[in-house]
Amino acid sequence: MNQYVTGAVIKELREKNRMTQLQLAEKLGVSDKSVSKWETSRGLPDITLLESIAEAFSISVSELISGNTIHNANVSANMLRSKFYVCPVCGNVIHSMGEASIHCHGIQLMPLEAEQTDEHHMIFIERVEDEYYVRIDHSMTKDHYISFVAVASSDDMQMVKLYPEGNAEVRFKLRGVSRIFFYCNRDGLFSIKNSRDIYSDKR
């Protein structure tokens, strides 16, 4: 990631937004010569202008500096397309309904890629009246544990945070659950999407 916005990024964003150098300059309260200098690497915008530049292009400052803009295709906010981010420093868990630019402890976080459950991450689900009782056959030590479990339907998300030395079990309301996610602090995100994939609890 660049440590500061580059002229190439400004030029690319300006052209993508079909702006002339003069139009961008007028939005920022600078001269078009200043914009030209930035784009030809003969100068850099003052740090006080970063917010205004980002606003002119309808992006965040972090997107401007990184040069990676977020194109959110999930405009209908379908919860089944949810993204999860986990900070490797503090364990902070962040959920978004689509693409986002997420930072924690100065680190840009990437969305987790969900894998299918395996023999080391078995999930058991039982319906109890108007709830799902979910249990994961997994250790819950301080070094190796399930950090959270979440269930999603197209328009609803329920999430429960778990902690080391607790139990890897949760309860969720039945609200049309279509997909279940859970996160292992060592092995990453897992998901299961329909009843045919779910193991019955034989206890």
Side-chain angles (χ1 to χ4, degrees):
M1 181 173 125
N2 298 318
Q3 295 304 307
Y4 199 74
V5 62
T6 65
V9 167
I10 292 174
K11 183 177 181 180
E12 181 185 348
L13 290 169
R14 177 180 62 76
E15 291 176 345
K16 189 182 290 184
N17 284 270
R18 298 180 180 177
M19 283 185 206
T20 65
Q21 289 182 341
L22 180 59
Q23 287 171 327
L24 177 59
E26 288 174 346
K27 282 179 175 285
L28 302 176
V30 300
S31 69
D32 57 337
K33 288 183 179 178
S34 293
V35 175
S36 177
K37 284 181 179 178
W38 302 340
E39 293 186 358
T40 54
S41 301
R42 290 182 291 128
L44 291 170
D46 189 83
I47 194 168
T48 60
L49 289 172
L50 291 188
E51 234 175 274
S52 298
I53 296 171
E55 187 177 331
F57 298 135
S58 300
I59 61 174
S60 68
V61 172
S62 61
E63 289 174 277
L64 176 67
I65 292 174
S66 71
N68 297 317
T69 56
I70 301 299
H71 303 286
N72 198 343
N74 193 22
V75 292
S76 62
N78 186 331
M79 289 289 191
L80 295 176
R81 297 178 186 168
S82 288
K83 306 288 184 182
F84 296 94
Y85 303 78
V86 176
C87 176
V89 177
C90 68
N92 189 12
V93 178
I94 302 162
H95 162 251
S96 74
M97 292 184 289
E99 298 293 337
S101 180
I102 305 292
H103 290 75
C104 190
H105 281 83
I107 302 168
Q108 182 168 9
L109 306 182
M110 302 306 294
L112 300 171
E113 293 288 335
E115 299 179 19
Q116 291 186 342
T117 56
D118 57 30
E119 65 272 16
H120 302 296
H121 299 88
M122 299 272 290
I123 186 168
F124 302 90
I125 299 168
E126 182 183 353
R127 181 169 175 169
V128 181
E129 296 180 352
D130 63 342
E131 293 182 320
Y132 281 125
Y133 168 69
V134 178
R135 180 176 64 86
I136 300 163
D137 188 12
H138 194 282
S139 63
M140 290 294 284
T141 65
K142 290 181 178 179
D143 297 321
H144 194 190
Y145 60 93
I146 301 299
S147 175
F148 70 86
V149 184
V151 296
S153 64
S154 61
D155 60 359
D156 186 45
M157 173 70 69
Q158 304 172 66
M159 182 186 295
V160 176
K161 183 77 175 75
L162 300 179
Y163 298 93
E165 301 182 346
N167 295 320
E169 55 186 29
V170 293
R171 291 180 181 268
F172 294 107
K173 293 294 181 184
L174 290 179
R175 298 194 290 233
V177 171
S178 298
R179 184 179 288 271
I180 299 175
F181 300 90
F182 62 94
Y183 178 76
C184 168
N185 73 314
R186 284 191 181 176
D187 300 310
L189 186 68
F190 293 86
S191 75
I192 196 166
K193 67 179 180 179
N194 62 51
S195 58
R196 287 174 299 177
D197 298 325
I198 293 172
Y199 301 96
S200 297
D201 193 336
K202 301 298 185 183
R203 293 180 307 166

